């Protein structure tokens, strides 16, 4: 018994007052449960509250408590989450008492072992869907592995699909579903649906009428994305599809295949591509109602490993998460990433919009200003050789391609050769950066003789730039091979504008110009940029404009280490982490994490890397598709091919983007040479190699007196147009390759890089 009852009562009153004032928060384990149930990462909560990730970790561990305004904001967040995700009646209060192998796989496990605090998740204030290891809707954990793999977590119960009501979202179950052979459809957020379909016809009808799967339009004048059903190998077999397409050239089922006949009998149609890895099954629209389903057949290599990595080998729940995050941030896949990149342009700038007919007063379809409205033939010098307008044209063609250049070894100085390291730096999504605020033509090209050059007019100009004297230790900005031009040639507006910037007076002899212009790619650029930065930040990599370059390089190295790790060999991962700590990161005891936390980090980073790879492939592939060439062994030069009938078939836009990216690269190299006297050894597309005294780009990139990067040169960071470390090798290795006629920029990453311009 106490001898101070009044003090005891006063203490109780103070405690009750604290509860009334909101200064008492849920227990630490409950704070963690609520965040995980919502699928929020520590980085997302930290961004919203204006604190660093370690603060969130301390609050959830009970080591510290928020104060001041953040206390009220944090309490409001927890109360809101508690209303949405009440604790299960049987849930134990102590987090450590929770059981089950799936409980070890949490998104914050990877954050807890990260040495670099994650940065804000991109420019958007809204928190986008993450790559969670728990179901944001229920807090349960979806299956992580097939029975043949090392772990087999419990599976949530399936539920029958229920179509939405008029007051709900038309697609309550997300943009897509991954279907397994037992009839389980895995959706984003860990949701499982029961698909009773036994035939492909029944599957199509289920997807349209019951699944509640699809994606709402990105533009008010656009169209909703069709439901995407991804078929695993067992699901494909269930519906009578072969394990491999026999026609390796056309990549489609023959028209007399039983599955195709089954669809035809039920009055469903296929597009001209037929039933291939990405078949589109539809019925003609009636009364404005669209009836179409997109399939992706995994055993037929629907997910190209060059874009998606090993995504096709993931458990269906994980694949639904990866594809769902991509769909939410970019667009529901419509085929390859190249096809999706092109479709995204139309989804963000639809070619038509509803307009009122003044004569009848009815709404009809009309052109949408600022969009590519109708198919337009290019100017002869812009066209590929097969195009009808190029037949008989013998006055040269546009050659705006990415850099492939190696400096003459005779121009290497002794000082350069004595530096120990060749360091490759890579421009992040260089084509995406070039697409920003790029004015392009939207109408037919018009031929003009002896025009006055105007950098504001998109066009293809015939000019002679061979008289411009430039440093031979730099590649020429006017040719993809870096050689000095020889006489007159055709150039896009960005290239001639840069010639003027260098002080040369441009006098074109003739040109093909567009009078209707606009920044057509701006919405496309913005959406892909946000997707790229949001996914990057989710991996714990700083993306803010004020992010420390050294911290960015450290976090990127950590991400790559996790993404490349083998989940079944965590000892090798620990060894790699110890080496990484010793060379780049401040000691953070990364290798001392438990097996469960390391495995969760590997999964999170690997899946994030898949999304990042797909986003980057969408950029390059979309640009390349603007100049899609004819396909098929029966094609003859001069014939039209299907791609020409798309409004988005526009080789000039592709050439202008690549030209601007190449010019941007040269501008940075020239500025760096002027400031430091350093010149590149080689360039391959968006990768440039320099000799350096150390293994980091920070060892040779210039900075101002306050330590900030010098504007106009290469800068280290996550944003499109900024740079990252591509690879490091010994200088002697690079010089030896140059003397043999090879490009060290192609090989400096450690493997054979492939020049990919999206075609």
């Amino acid at each position: 018994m106490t001898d101070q009852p009044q003090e005891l009562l006063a203490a109780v009153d103070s405690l009750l007052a604290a509860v009334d004032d909101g200064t008492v928060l849920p227990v630490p384990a409950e704070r963690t449960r609520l965040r995980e149930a919502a699928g929020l990462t520590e980085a997302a909560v930290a961004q919203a509250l204006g604190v660093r990730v370690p603060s969130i970790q301390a609050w959830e561990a009970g080591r510290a408590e928020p104060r001041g305004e953040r206390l009220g904001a944090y309490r409001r967040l927890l109360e809101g989450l508690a209303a949405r995700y009440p604790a299960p009646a049987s849930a134990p209060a102590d987090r450590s008492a929770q059981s089950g192998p799936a409980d070890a796989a949490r998104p914050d496990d990877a954050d807890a072992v990260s040495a670099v605090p994650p940065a804000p998740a991109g420019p958007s204030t809204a928190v986008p869907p993450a790559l969670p290891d728990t179901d944001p809707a229920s807090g349960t954990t979806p299956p992580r592995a097939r029975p043949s793999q090392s772990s087999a977590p419990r599976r949530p119960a399936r539920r029958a699909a229920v179509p939405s009501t008029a007051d709900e979202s038309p697609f309550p179950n997300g943009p897509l579903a991954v279907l397994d052979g037992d009839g389980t459809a895995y959706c984003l957020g860990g949701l499982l649906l029961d698909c009773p379909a036994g035939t492909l016809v029944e599957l199509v009808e289920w997807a349209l009428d019951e699944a509640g799967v699809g994606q709402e339009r990105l533009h008010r004048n656009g169209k909703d994305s069709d439901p995407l059903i991804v078929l695993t190998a067992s699901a494909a077999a269930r519906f009578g599809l072969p394990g491999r397409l026999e026609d390796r050239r056309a990549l489609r089922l023959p028209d007399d295949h039983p599955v195709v006949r089954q669809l035809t009998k039920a009055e469903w149609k296929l597009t001209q591509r037929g039933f291939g890895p990405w078949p589109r099954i539809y019925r003609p629209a009636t009364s404005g109602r669209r009836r179409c389903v997109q399939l992706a057949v995994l055993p037929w290599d629907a997910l190209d490993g060059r874009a998606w990595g090993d995504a096709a080998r993931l458990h269906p729940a994980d694949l639904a998460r990866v594809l769902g995050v991509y769909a939410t941030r970019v667009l529901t896949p419509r085929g390859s990433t190249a096809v999706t990149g092109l479709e995204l342009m139309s989804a963000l700038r639809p070619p038509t919009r509803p307009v009122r007919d003044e004569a009848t007063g009815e709404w009809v379809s009309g052109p949408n200003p600022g969009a590519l409205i109708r198919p337009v033939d290019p100017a002869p010098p812009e066209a590929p050789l097969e195009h009808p307008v190029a037949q008989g044209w013998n006055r040269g063609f546009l050659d705006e391609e990415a850099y492939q250049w190696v400096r003459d070894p005779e121009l290497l100085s002794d000082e350069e050769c004595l530096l120990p390291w060749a360091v490759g730096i890579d421009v992040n999504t260089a084509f995406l950066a070039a697409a920003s605020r790029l004015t392009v033509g939207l109408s037919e090209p018009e031929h003009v003789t002896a025009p006055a050059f105007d950098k504001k007019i998109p066009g293809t100009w015939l000019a002679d730039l061979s008289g411009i004297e430039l440093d031979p230790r730099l590649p020429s900005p006017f040719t993809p091979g870096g050689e000095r031009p020889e006489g007159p040639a055709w150039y896009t507006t960005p290239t001639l504008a840069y010639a003027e910037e260098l002080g040369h007076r441009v006098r074109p002899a003739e040109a093909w110009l567009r009078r209707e212009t606009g920044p057509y790619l701006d919405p496309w650029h913005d959406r892909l940029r946000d997707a790229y930065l949001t996914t990057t930040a989710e991996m714990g990599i700083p993306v803010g404009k004020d992010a420390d370059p050294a911290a960015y390089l450290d976090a990127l190295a950590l991400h790559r280490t996790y993404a490349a790790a083998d989940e079944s060999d965590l000892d090798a991962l620990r060894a790699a982490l110890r080496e990484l700590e010793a060379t780049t990161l401040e000691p953070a005891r990364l290798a001392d994490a438990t097996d469960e936390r390391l495995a969760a980090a590997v999964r999170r980073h690997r899946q994030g890397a898949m999304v990042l790879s797909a986003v980057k492939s969408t950029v390059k592939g979309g640009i390349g598709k603007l100049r899609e060439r004819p396909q098929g062994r029966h094609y003859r030069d001069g014939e039209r091919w299907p791609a020409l009938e798309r409004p988005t078939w526009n080789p000039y836009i592709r050439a202008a983007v690549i030209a601007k990216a190449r010019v941007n690269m040269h501008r940075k190299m020239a500025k760096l040479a002027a400031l430091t006297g350093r010149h590149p050894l080689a360039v391959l597309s968006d990768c440039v190699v320099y000799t350096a005294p150390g293994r980091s780009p920070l060892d040779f990139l210039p900075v101002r007196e306050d330590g900030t990067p010098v504007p106009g040169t290469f800068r280290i960071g996550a944003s499109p147009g900024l740079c990252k470390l591509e690879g490091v090798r010994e200088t002697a290795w690079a010089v030896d390759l140059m003397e043999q006629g090879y490009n060290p920029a192609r090989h400096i990453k450690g493997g054979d890089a492939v020049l990919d311009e999206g075609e």
Side-chain angles (χ1 to χ4, degrees):
M1 297 292 292
T2 177
D3 295 328
Q4 299 173 317
Q6 294 302 323
E7 293 181 10
L8 192 60
L9 294 176
V12 171
D13 290 339
S14 298
L15 186 61
L16 292 174
V19 172
D20 293 337
D21 294 339
T23 56
V24 175
L25 299 172
V27 295
E30 178 65 2
R31 305 172 197 177
T32 305
R33 186 196 71 79
L34 291 171
R35 177 181 59 76
E36 293 176 349
L40 297 175
T41 63
E42 293 169 337
V45 176
Q47 176 196 9
L49 298 179
V51 298
R52 299 182 62 195
V53 169
S55 297
I56 303 299
Q57 295 171 345
W59 298 349
E60 292 185 353
R63 299 192 304 268
E65 298 289 338
R67 299 180 182 277
E69 296 177 352
R70 290 187 176 86
L71 173 62
Y74 190 46
R75 181 195 183 204
R76 180 174 180 177
L77 171 65
L78 296 176
E79 288 177 346
L81 295 178
R84 292 168 172 82
Y85 309 102
S90 59
D94 187 359
R95 180 182 179 184
S96 63
Q98 298 179 17
S99 60
D103 294 329
R106 299 185 301 268
D108 59 311
D109 291 337
D111 289 329
V113 298
S114 175
V116 183
S124 175
T125 56
V127 179
L131 288 164
D133 288 299
T134 53
D135 176 4
S138 63
T140 60
T141 304
R144 302 295 306 168
R146 297 183 182 278
S148 60
Q149 295 176 313
S150 57
S151 60
R154 296 166 296 179
R155 184 157 99 180
R158 293 183 289 173
R159 75 182 192 191
V162 179
S164 61
T165 65
D167 297 332
E168 297 176 345
S169 166
F171 310 113
N173 297 330
L176 54 88
V178 180
L179 187 62
D180 215 345
D182 63 357
T184 304
Y186 297 79
C187 301
L188 183 62
L191 174 66
L192 302 183
L193 303 178
D194 186 18
C195 175
T199 66
L200 210 58
V201 170
E202 293 174 351
L203 173 64
V204 171
E205 294 172 348
W206 174 84
L208 289 169
D209 299 329
E210 300 180 42
V213 171
Q215 185 177 30
E216 295 189 61
R217 65 196 69 186
L218 300 183
H219 188 282
R220 63 176 182 173
N221 297 325
K223 299 176 181 178
D224 295 340
S225 290
D226 301 319
L228 171 62
I229 306 298
V230 182
L231 302 181
T232 62
S234 58
R238 174 180 179 177
F239 297 116
L241 299 176
R244 183 178 185 272
L245 281 176
E246 296 299 329
D247 187 346
R248 304 308 299 168
R249 180 180 291 273
L251 290 178
R252 58 188 290 172
L253 287 178
D255 292 340
D256 60 353
H257 190 278
V259 169
V260 177
R261 293 205 309 265
Q262 177 191 113
L263 291 170
T264 303
K265 184 177 180 181
E267 299 183 349
W268 290 100
K269 297 181 179 294
L270 295 168
T271 60
Q272 291 183 356
R273 290 188 176 273
F275 202 112
W278 288 89
R280 190 169 294 184
I281 305 169
Y282 73 99
R283 280 178 179 157
T286 56
S287 302
R289 186 184 182 192
R290 181 179 174 87
R291 301 280 289 175
C292 183
V293 174
Q294 179 86 64
L295 301 182
V297 187
L298 293 183
W300 297 355
D301 300 324
L303 297 181
D304 190 333
R306 293 170 296 180
W308 292 99
D310 293 332
R313 300 171 58 186
L314 293 174
H315 185 279
D318 293 328
L319 180 58
R321 187 176 302 124
V322 169
L323 293 177
V325 167
Y326 173 88
T328 304
R329 295 175 184 171
V330 180
L331 184 71
T332 301
R334 308 281 182 86
S336 68
T337 49
V339 170
T340 304
L342 199 68
E343 293 279 353
L344 181 63
M345 296 179 193
S346 298
L348 294 168
R349 283 198 189 272
T352 61
R353 64 170 181 168
V355 295
R356 189 180 294 277
D357 188 324
E358 296 182 358
T360 64
E362 297 180 355
W363 289 97
V364 296
S365 179
N368 186 22
L372 295 174
I373 297 170
R374 60 189 177 279
V376 173
D377 281 341
E382 300 167 353
L385 294 175
E386 305 91 342
H387 198 285
V389 303
Q391 304 307 302
W393 178 263
N394 58 3
R395 300 179 54 217
F397 291 88
L398 202 60
D399 189 22
E400 298 281 24
E401 301 295 340
Y403 268 133
Q404 294 189 70
W405 174 82
V406 179
R407 200 205 308 180
D408 184 349
E410 296 295 329
L411 298 178
L412 292 173
S413 67
D414 293 340
E415 291 79 4
E416 288 176 305
C417 293
L418 290 174
L419 291 173
W421 302 107
V423 179
I425 53 178
D426 177 80
V427 179
N428 296 319
T429 57
F431 291 166
L432 184 63
S436 176
R437 297 189 295 275
L438 176 65
T439 301
V440 300
L442 304 176
S443 57
E444 296 86 351
E446 301 176 11
H447 186 257
V448 182
T449 303
F453 177 69
D454 187 343
K455 65 180 181 181
K456 296 181 180 180
I457 299 179
T460 298
W461 315 73
L462 181 64
D464 189 349
L465 304 181
S466 60
I468 301 179
E469 291 286 347
L470 295 173
D471 191 328
R473 293 172 294 179
L474 290 174
S476 168
F478 310 126
T479 62
E483 307 90 356
R484 185 171 178 169
E486 298 178 357
W490 295 96
Y491 301 99
T492 60
T493 299
T495 300
L496 287 195
Y498 187 57
E500 275 198 341
E501 183 181 323
L502 294 176
H504 179 72
R505 185 175 180 182
V506 177
R507 295 181 175 178
E510 59 180 296
W512 297 81
L513 307 179
R514 273 84 174 170
R515 300 301 178 183
E516 184 181 344
T517 66
Y520 174 73
L521 292 176
D522 271 7
W524 185 82
H525 162 272
D526 293 347
R527 186 163 179 86
L528 288 168
R529 176 204 59 199
D530 291 352
Y532 181 81
L533 291 178
T534 300
T535 308
T536 299
E538 197 172 70
M539 299 300 98
I541 301 172
V543 300
K545 62 180 180 179
D546 298 326
D548 177 59
Y552 167 74
L553 292 175
D554 287 348
L556 185 61
L558 181 63
H559 162 65
R560 287 173 170 173
T561 300
Y562 277 125
D566 184 351
E567 190 176 340
S568 64
D569 188 2
L570 296 180
D571 289 339
L573 173 59
R574 285 191 170 88
L577 291 175
R578 290 190 180 97
E579 181 179 354
L580 192 63
E581 290 174 358
T583 56
T584 62
L585 299 173
E586 295 181 3
R589 302 178 63 83
L590 300 177
D592 294 338
T594 64
D595 285 357
E596 291 80 4
R597 298 175 75 181
L598 283 180
V602 169
R603 290 191 293 270
R604 189 171 72 96
H605 283 269
R606 182 178 296 160
Q607 293 176 24
M610 292 173 185
V611 177
L612 276 178
S613 175
V615 171
K616 292 186 287 187
S617 185
T618 302
V619 173
K620 286 190 174 182
I623 295 299
K625 273 283 185 180
L626 290 166
R627 190 179 181 260
E628 183 178 356
R629 309 287 283 272
Q631 302 175 17
R633 58 185 174 182
H634 301 298
Y635 176 79
R636 298 292 181 269
D637 288 355
E639 297 176 352
R640 298 187 69 84
W641 59 95
L644 302 186
E645 308 312 316
R646 295 192 312 246
T648 50
W649 192 88
N650 194 310
Y652 174 79
I653 295 180
R654 172 191 176 275
V657 170
I658 296 175
K660 185 179 175 183
R662 193 183 66 247
V663 162
N664 287 345
M665 178 75 83
H666 188 276
R667 185 183 291 110
K668 290 179 171 65
M669 291 187 291
K671 183 68 175 289
L672 183 62
L675 290 174
T676 67
R678 297 184 184 276
H679 297 82
L681 301 182
V683 186
L684 180 78
S685 188
D686 48 14
C687 175
V688 56
V689 179
Y690 284 93
T691 56
R695 297 174 59 91
S696 170
L698 302 179
D699 292 326
F700 67 89
L701 294 180
V703 295
R704 294 183 289 198
E705 292 183 358
D706 60 357
T708 58
V710 176
T713 63
F714 295 103
R715 296 181 56 186
I716 301 300
S719 297
L722 301 189
C723 303
K724 61 179 178 292
L725 176 64
E726 180 74 358
V728 183
R729 303 293 290 268
E730 294 180 351
T731 298
W733 167 88
V735 173
D736 183 56
L737 282 184
M738 295 168 65
E739 291 176 342
Q740 296 180 58
Y742 297 111
N743 190 329
R746 182 182 295 275
H747 307 281
I748 198 164
K749 194 173 184 178
D752 286 345
V754 177
L755 179 64
D756 179 7
E757 296 166 14
E759 293 188 282

